Amino acid sequence: MSMITSTIRTNNRWGLRLALGLRLALGLSFPLTLTLSSCSTTPENARQENVLPQIYPDYLGVTIPVNIAPLCFNMADETAQYVDAVITDRHGNSLHGNGEESVDFDLDDWRALLAQNRGDSLSVSVSAKYEDGWHTYRSFTIYVSPDSIDYGICYRLIEPGYEVWSKMGIYERDLSTFDERALIENTQFEGCVNCHSFNRGNSADMSLHIRGKHGATLLRHADGPFTAYNTKTDQTLGFCVYPYWHPSGRYIAYSTNTTNQLFHAADRNRIEVFDTASDLQVYDVDKNELLLSPLLKQDSIYETYPVFSSDGRSLYFCSARALPEGSLQLDSLRYNLCRIDFDPATGTFGNRIDTIVDAAAQHKSVSFPRPSYDGRFLCYTLSDYGQFSIWHHEADLYLLDFSTGESRPMTEVNSADTESFHNWSTNSRWLVFSSRRDDGLFTRPYFCHVDEEGRVSKPFMLPQRNPRQFYRGRFLSFNVPDFIIGPTRFNSHEASGLINDEYRKDFGVR
């Protein structure tokens, strides 16, 4: 049978979908060129430029999941009057998008094109209209990874303030669309909402901490109802924070921290958040007991940011020698990456602590360790000192390869500004991380692909329908992004009722 090429051009997206449906119904395998035009304005007599386009966000050469939302973009040059883009695959199929401010692609047509090119590259041709007419730039490629990404991410949106907080909330975003919804906002109670955590992206196991007048930790296990807990006991420093779930769902690792803040007199890092005491403990959800170890409660050591290994038999954490009482020599406070054995069958700890990354010997400090769920890697943040790297402009991401024991800087994703908090997708192929590279003030979420050998792709910013309008009009930072495998089924009315109620269930201690 001879190969037949069919080309359909339409300004009606429903006609485009009808063409796709007919093709599938007839079992046709010939290439189909899909051209969607949202406006009659198209490049005419364009000047051919021998340079790549400067677009915002920078999507040139990125690797994306097959199920990501459309990569809409603006021209970096704000004097552009109109932007036009055509995405073409190697089979002749194409997708056309344009707009006055931002290139906009139809969601369904974008999905169809990515699905047809899973594991292959797409070519993107960009034209922009200025006062002197149209300019067409050299094409660039986007690689569509065969590795899908999770349903969405969950994060806190917060003003980048210092000593106090204003309106904030916990939100979830569907990564395949532009849909965002609030789980809970502090307009529903008086206080601060933070430390949201899930068991490998599954919100059936969820922990959420509330600070302030109505302080509590909301816990849900095995998709049961939420319970409001008082996590402070007479044997621990304070409330349990920085949670990380054990893969079994039975345990949650927490730290307790006595935290202070100060402003630097002369430092490009505006503020420092530091501990004057911190310990670790593990909560047994089934028995409602905190499991303690004297090795994790040493007055001479600050322990923080606990995470379980992928097999649940190790607890990784950050550890630093305590500062002398009254000392504010914060630039000498440096954390190493350490581990201790944990037996999930008995809920007991090992009898020694191993140092995995001796950052202090390099005059550096580790924060936010996050192991991949396949057990191969651990990503962490490295800064000059301290454990709160969000305002450290020198902070970078590092990747520890458990198969070799070697760490390396993730030069593929690091920038001249802050790279900080991060989390793995459930298939361990995608990393979401916080960065201030966009403007130096607000943290934005970026994504990169990490393959089985530790090769890392160029990162891309969370897609928005009109990126410049969205990010410049929203003076909020994305804080603690974490993947979720589906909608969280979080009832904000019920949660706010628990928070505003005086009842708190106490944690026990073994």
Side-chain angles (χ1 to χ4, degrees), residues 155-158 168-170 192-194 196 211 477-479:
Y155 43 83
R156 181 170 66 160
L157 287 177
I158 185 172
M168 67 172 70
I170 305 294
C192 165
V193 57
N194 65 348
H196 55 281
R211 286 188 296 174
S477 284
F478 288 75
N479 183 246

Side-chain angles (χ1 to χ4, degrees), residues 379-382 393-399 408-420 422 431 433-437 446 448 456-459:
C379 184
Y380 60 91
T381 304
L382 200 68
H393 295 273
E394 82 283 355
D396 283 332
L397 298 184
Y398 277 66
L399 192 67
R408 71 169 183 86
M410 298 178 69
T411 55
E412 304 91 339
V413 304
N414 290 327
S415 71
D417 218 308
T418 308
E419 272 69 58
S420 188
H422 47 272
L431 197 70
F433 64 93
S434 303
S435 178
R436 293 191 190 273
R437 70 185 65 194
Y446 287 77
C448 67
V456 182
S457 70
K458 177 181 175 178

